[in-house]
Coordinates of all heavy atoms in Angstrom, one line a residue:
R1 N -0.9 4.3 3.8 CA -0.7 5.8 3.7 C 0.0 6.2 2.4 O -0.3 7.2 1.8 CB 0.1 6.2 4.9 CG -0.7 6.0 6.2 CD -0.4 7.1 7.3 NE 1.0 7.2 7.6 CZ 1.8 6.5 8.4 NH1 1.2 5.6 9.1 NH2 3.0 6.7 8.6
M2 N 0.9 5.3 2.0 CA 1.6 5.6 0.7 C 0.6 5.5 -0.5 O 0.5 6.4 -1.4 CB 2.7 4.5 0.4 CG 3.9 4.6 1.3 SD 5.0 3.1 0.8 CE 5.8 2.9 2.4
A3 N -0.3 4.5 -0.4 CA -1.3 4.3 -1.5 C -2.3 5.5 -1.5 O -2.8 5.9 -2.5 CB -2.1 3.0 -1.3
N4 N -2.5 6.1 -0.3 CA -3.4 7.3 -0.2 C -2.7 8.6 -0.3 O -3.3 9.7 -0.1 CB -4.2 7.2 1.2 CG -5.1 6.0 1.3 OD1 -5.4 5.4 0.2 ND2 -5.4 5.6 2.5
K5 N -1.4 8.6 -0.7 CA -0.6 9.8 -0.9 C -0.4 10.6 0.4 O -0.3 11.8 0.3 CB -1.2 10.6 -2.0 CG -1.3 9.9 -3.3 CD -1.8 10.9 -4.4 CE -2.0 10.1 -5.7 NZ -2.4 11.0 -6.8
D6 N -0.5 10.0 1.6 CA -0.3 10.8 2.7 C 0.8 10.3 3.7 O 0.7 10.5 4.9 CB -1.6 11.1 3.5 CG -2.3 9.8 4.0 OD1 -1.6 8.8 3.9 OD2 -3.4 9.9 4.6
H7 N 1.8 9.6 3.1 CA 2.9 9.2 3.9 C 4.0 10.3 3.8 O 4.3 10.8 2.8 CB 3.5 7.8 3.4 CG 4.5 7.2 4.3 ND1 5.8 7.6 4.5 CD2 4.3 6.2 5.2 CE1 6.4 6.8 5.4 NE2 5.5 6.0 5.9
K8 N 4.6 10.6 5.0 CA 5.5 11.7 5.0 C 6.8 11.5 4.2 O 7.3 12.4 3.5 CB 6.0 12.0 6.5 CG 5.0 12.7 7.3 CD 5.5 13.0 8.7 CE 4.4 13.2 9.7 NZ 4.8 12.9 11.1
Q9 N 7.3 10.2 4.3 CA 8.7 10.0 3.7 C 8.7 9.3 2.4 O 9.6 9.5 1.6 CB 9.5 9.2 4.7 CG 9.9 10.1 5.9 CD 10.0 9.2 7.2 OE1 9.1 8.4 7.4 NE2 11.0 9.4 8.0
V10 N 7.7 8.5 2.1 CA 7.7 7.7 0.9 C 6.4 8.0 0.0 O 5.3 7.9 0.5 CB 7.7 6.2 1.2 CG1 7.9 5.4 -0.1 CG2 8.9 5.9 2.1
H11 N 6.7 8.3 -1.3 CA 5.6 8.6 -2.2 C 5.7 7.6 -3.3 O 6.8 7.3 -3.8 CB 5.6 10.0 -2.7 CG 5.6 11.0 -1.6 ND1 4.5 11.4 -0.9 CD2 6.6 11.7 -1.1 CE1 4.8 12.2 0.0 NE2 6.1 12.5 0.0
I12 N 4.6 7.0 -3.7 CA 4.6 6.0 -4.8 C 5.0 6.7 -6.1 O 4.5 7.8 -6.4 CB 3.2 5.3 -5.0 CG1 2.8 4.6 -3.7 CG2 3.3 4.3 -6.2 CD1 3.8 3.4 -3.3
Q13 N 6.0 6.1 -6.9 CA 6.4 6.6 -8.1 C 6.1 5.7 -9.3 O 6.0 4.5 -9.0 CB 8.0 6.8 -8.1 CG 8.5 7.7 -7.0 CD 10.0 7.6 -6.8 OE1 10.6 6.9 -7.5 NE2 10.5 8.4 -5.9
K14 N 5.9 6.2 -10.4 CA 5.7 5.4 -11.6 C 6.9 4.5 -11.8 O 8.1 5.0 -11.6 CB 5.5 6.3 -12.9 CG 4.7 5.7 -14.0 CD 4.5 6.7 -15.1 CE 3.8 6.1 -16.3 NZ 2.4 5.9 -16.1
G15 N 6.8 3.2 -12.0 CA 7.9 2.3 -12.1 C 8.2 1.5 -10.8 O 9.1 0.7 -10.8
D16 N 7.6 1.9 -9.7 CA 7.7 1.1 -8.5 C 7.2 -0.3 -8.6 O 6.1 -0.5 -9.3 CB 7.0 1.8 -7.3 CG 7.8 3.0 -6.7 OD1 9.0 3.2 -7.1 OD2 7.2 3.7 -5.9
T17 N 7.8 -1.3 -8.0 CA 7.3 -2.7 -8.0 C 6.9 -3.0 -6.5 O 7.7 -2.8 -5.6 CB 8.3 -3.7 -8.4 OG1 8.7 -3.4 -9.8 CG2 7.8 -5.1 -8.4
I18 N 5.6 -3.4 -6.3 CA 5.1 -3.6 -5.0 C 4.7 -5.1 -4.8 O 4.1 -5.6 -5.7 CB 4.0 -2.7 -4.7 CG1 4.5 -1.2 -4.6 CG2 3.3 -3.0 -3.3 CD1 3.5 -0.2 -4.8
V19 N 5.2 -5.7 -3.7 CA 4.9 -7.1 -3.5 C 4.1 -7.2 -2.2 O 4.6 -6.8 -1.1 CB 6.3 -7.9 -3.3 CG1 6.0 -9.4 -3.0 CG2 7.1 -7.8 -4.5
L20 N 2.9 -7.7 -2.3 CA 2.1 -8.0 -1.1 C 2.3 -9.4 -0.7 O 1.7 -10.4 -1.2 CB 0.6 -7.8 -1.4 CG 0.0 -6.4 -1.1 CD1 0.6 -5.4 -2.0 CD2 -1.5 -6.4 -1.1
S21 N 3.2 -9.6 0.3 CA 3.6 -11.0 0.7 C 2.8 -11.4 1.9 O 3.3 -11.6 3.0 CB 5.1 -11.0 1.0 OG 5.5 -12.3 1.1
A22 N 1.5 -11.6 1.7 CA 0.6 -12.1 2.8 C -0.8 -12.4 2.1 O -1.1 -11.8 1.1 CB 0.4 -11.1 3.9
T23 N -1.5 -13.3 2.7 CA -2.9 -13.6 2.2 C -3.8 -12.7 3.1 O -3.6 -12.6 4.3 CB -3.2 -15.0 2.4 OG1 -2.2 -15.8 1.8 CG2 -4.6 -15.4 1.8
P24 N -4.8 -12.1 2.5 CA -5.7 -11.3 3.3 C -6.4 -12.1 4.3 O -6.9 -13.2 4.0 CB -6.8 -10.7 2.3 CG -6.1 -10.8 1.0 CD -5.1 -12.0 1.0
I25 N -6.5 -11.7 5.6 CA -7.3 -12.3 6.6 C -8.7 -12.2 6.2 O -9.2 -11.2 5.7 CB -7.0 -11.6 8.0 CG1 -5.6 -11.8 8.4 CG2 -8.0 -12.1 9.0 CD1 -5.1 -11.0 9.6
P26 N -9.5 -13.3 6.4 CA -11.0 -13.2 6.0 C -11.6 -12.0 6.6 O -11.4 -11.7 7.8 CB -11.5 -14.5 6.7 CG -10.4 -15.5 6.7 CD -9.2 -14.6 6.9
G27 N -12.3 -11.2 5.8 CA -12.9 -10.0 6.2 C -12.1 -8.8 5.8 O -12.7 -7.6 5.7
N28 N -10.8 -9.0 5.5 CA -10.0 -7.8 5.1 C -9.8 -7.7 3.6 O -9.2 -6.8 3.1 CB -8.6 -8.0 5.7 CG -8.5 -7.6 7.1 OD1 -9.5 -7.4 7.8 ND2 -7.3 -7.6 7.7
E29 N -10.5 -8.6 2.8 CA -10.3 -8.6 1.4 C -10.6 -7.2 0.7 O -9.9 -6.7 -0.2 CB -11.1 -9.6 0.7 CG -10.8 -11.1 1.1 CD -11.5 -11.6 2.3 OE1 -12.2 -10.8 3.0 OE2 -11.4 -12.8 2.6
G30 N -11.7 -6.6 1.2 CA -12.1 -5.3 0.6 C -11.1 -4.2 0.8 O -10.7 -3.5 -0.1
L31 N -10.5 -4.2 2.0 CA -9.5 -3.1 2.3 C -8.2 -3.4 1.5 O -7.6 -2.4 1.0 CB -9.1 -3.2 3.8 CG -10.2 -2.8 4.8 CD1 -9.7 -3.2 6.2 CD2 -10.4 -1.3 4.8
V32 N -7.8 -4.7 1.3 CA -6.6 -5.0 0.6 C -6.8 -4.6 -0.9 O -5.9 -4.0 -1.5 CB -6.2 -6.5 0.7 CG1 -5.1 -6.8 -0.2 CG2 -5.9 -6.8 2.2
N33 N -8.0 -5.0 -1.5 CA -8.3 -4.7 -2.9 C -8.3 -3.2 -3.2 O -7.7 -2.8 -4.2 CB -9.6 -5.3 -3.3 CG -9.6 -6.8 -3.3 OD1 -8.5 -7.4 -3.3 ND2 -10.8 -7.4 -3.2

């Protein structure tokens, strides 16, 4: 929802650092990318 700009409380800002700490489950790669 943050990535799609529709989260109520948190909006992505220039300068944010984002860590994806998980491996995509097989079949989810497209959604994660």
